[in-house]
Amino acid sequence: MIATVTKSMSNDVFNVQKVRDEFPILDQEINGHPLVYLDNAATTQKPNAVIEAISDYYRGYNSNVHRGAHSLSDRATVAFEHARDTVAKFVCSPKKEQVIWTRGTTEAINLVAHSWGRNNIGAGDKILVSTLEHHSNIVPWQILAEEMGAQLIPIPILTTGDIDIPAFSALLDERVKMVSVGHVSNALGTVNPLKNIISAAHAVGAKVFIDGAQAVAHFPVDVQALGCDFYGFSGHKLFGPTGIGVLWGREALLNEMPPYHGGGEMIESCSFSGTTFNVLPYKFEAGTPDIAGVIGLAAAIDYLNTLDRNAIIAHERDLLTYCHQLAEKCSGLKRVGEAENIAGVFSFLLDGAHPSDVGMLLDQQGVAVRTGHHCAQPLMEALNVPGTVRASFSMYNTREDVERFFAALEKVKQFI
Ligand code: PMP
């Protein structure tokens, strides 16, 4: 085991075994083989700190927030609002009120499409999304465009899986009101050149939404340095629980936007003659929130903050480089997506094998990957592939995981 640890460490500072020890789920066998979890783009595993924070909440201070006249409710409210501070610092938000709790990235995008979109998009306006996008960053805009008589226009990509920047520039004019792109592609791992995209969009007066679902676990995000107008992400892809996520927005825009959902907590006063709405962030947080989820997400961020994030970047880069090296020696394997700047994802096809068969045969050997279109059907169509097999890495993966994955692939080839 010690030998494995040494081999798995990609640099002096990052102790991957120490990190793995915090993730109890990783230490198990699947179908008689040690689990090699390479489906981190779908969801990440949870460290003890998160599991314990949720358990502590339910065991010790479960209570509704903001409204109770008792000590348990005070404790829950303090933890809940402290979590907002934690997230605000995590994304470098000027104010904590700019952090809105949502169920995930999907709801963050829907909130903006619904609330900002219906008030700022009109007939003949244009919304741009890249061809790389997850369906979550396409469909809400498509619904909005159809309703308002606007146009949803895909930004073309190159065969490498990069956004075609000259083509993007050519699409920009004053009718473009929203540009919504991912920070990192879930299907190919492409890290998009956001600063260029955002400044070009702003130059024609468009607002920019960044889908950060696949970015936050891999590297630090600074919404002010990026200069975007909105940023969304999901807790479960950041070592936190499912069902909780974040919309970050510019304060002036959020203030102008009408509520998305009506209900308790989002009102200042309610009467049959009319209702006035609460201030940020509560205006967008109708109903009892996912309190345990919020507390779990903050625990995930606190845990991540104990680690050296530059060391994580170096470790994950080492894993991907190693993966690419072994891929070159793997006959019949064709990489899908070869952008220069990739985070966390290795997408590929195996000659003569359907991706879902590859996934099933890998699972029989304890290797968890995802197969199919990865909720990015327009991308698959643009690349002219039926889908891919996707191995997606996280900070707790090791070089040994990469080796096991390729050894399992060799066996897959014997069956196909
Ligand atoms: N965008 C991207 C890039 C994603 O990878 C995902 C999840 N696969 C989503 C949006 C949607 O996230 P959620 O399902 O957590 O709302």
Side-chain angles (χ1 to χ4, degrees), residues 19-335:
V19 172
R20 288 180 72 81
D21 289 344
E22 294 300 324
F23 289 81
I25 202 170
L26 296 176
D27 185 21
Q28 65 171 301
E29 293 202 338
I30 297 286
N31 299 321
H33 300 269
L35 168 64
V36 175
Y37 186 74
L38 298 179
D39 196 19
N40 294 287
T43 199
T44 53
Q45 299 302 347
K46 320 305 169 200
N48 287 320
V50 169
I51 299 165
E52 281 157 19
I54 294 170
S55 163
D56 287 351
Y57 164 69
Y58 280 125
R59 285 172 186 278
Y61 60 103
N62 170 50
S63 197
N64 214 329
V65 287
H66 296 139
R67 34 194 114 153
H70 57 86
S71 304
L72 281 188
S73 175
D74 281 349
R75 255 184 90 186
T77 304
V78 167
F80 184 81
E81 288 304 328
H82 180 70
R84 206 186 299 273
D85 275 320
T86 303
V87 169
K89 287 197 190 91
F90 182 67
V91 296
C92 306
S93 172
K95 290 189 182 168
K96 64 181 260 180
E97 290 77 10
Q98 293 169 261
V99 171
I100 317 286
W101 303 122
T102 64
R103 284 187 294 139
T105 313
T106 304
E107 193 178 46
I109 298 169
N110 276 280
L111 193 164
V112 174
H114 194 99
S115 169
W116 180 89
R118 276 164 186 74
N119 287 278
N120 290 280
I121 300 281
D125 284 341
K126 299 177 188 170
I127 303 164
L128 305 187
V129 297
S130 91
T131 304
L132 288 169
E133 300 313 309
H134 188 280
H135 298 160
S136 296
N137 199 21
I138 297 175
V139 183
W141 304 116
Q142 202 163 39
I143 293 170
L144 174 69
E146 272 168 26
E147 198 176 314
M148 308 310 286
Q151 260 183 292
L152 178 67
I153 302 175
I155 306 165
I157 52 161
L158 306 171
T159 49
T160 52
D162 287 293
I163 289 181
D164 184 338
I165 295 294
F168 166 61
S169 304
L171 288 171
L172 287 172
D173 61 34
E174 73 290 347
R175 293 317 303 255
V176 177
K177 295 291 186 287
M178 169 59 77
V179 175
S180 191
V181 292
H183 202 158
V184 175
S185 150
N186 67 308
L188 306 181
T190 314
V191 183
N192 290 320
L194 290 188
K195 282 200 179 174
N196 296 345
I197 292 173
I198 293 167
S199 57
H202 282 167
V204 295
K207 300 289 181 262
V208 181
F209 189 109
I210 302 299
D211 170 351
Q214 296 295 339
V216 281
H218 295 296
F219 46 75
V221 167
D222 179 337
V223 289
Q224 294 186 71
L226 283 174
C228 56
D229 300 291
F230 301 102
Y231 196 98
F233 65 92
S234 303
H236 71 100
K237 299 196 197 265
L238 181 63
F239 315 110
T242 51
I244 186 68
V246 169
L247 167 68
W248 176 87
R250 279 187 195 277
E251 190 179 20
L253 291 174
L254 293 173
N255 271 327
E256 281 166 15
M257 286 159 54
Y260 174 45
H261 290 147
E265 201 60 32
M266 52 73 71
I267 58 104
E268 181 190 57
S269 75
C270 173
S271 90
F272 285 114
S273 58
T275 290
T276 55
F277 303 125
N278 208 338
V279 292
L280 288 178
Y282 310 112
K283 181 172 79 172
F284 293 112
E285 294 180 357
T288 300
D290 181 357
I291 305 164
V294 164
I295 289 168
L297 172 56
I301 293 174
D302 285 341
Y303 170 68
L304 200 52
N305 286 341
T306 66
L307 305 173
D308 177 344
R309 297 207 74 191
N310 285 328
I312 293 174
I313 293 170
H315 173 69
E316 291 186 5
R317 192 179 299 135
D318 177 70
L319 292 178
L320 263 189
T321 307
Y322 192 44
C323 181
H324 294 158
Q325 281 165 4
L326 296 193
E328 273 175 24
K329 295 184 201 145
C330 182
S331 60
L333 184 149
K334 186 178 167 297
R335 264 179 77 182

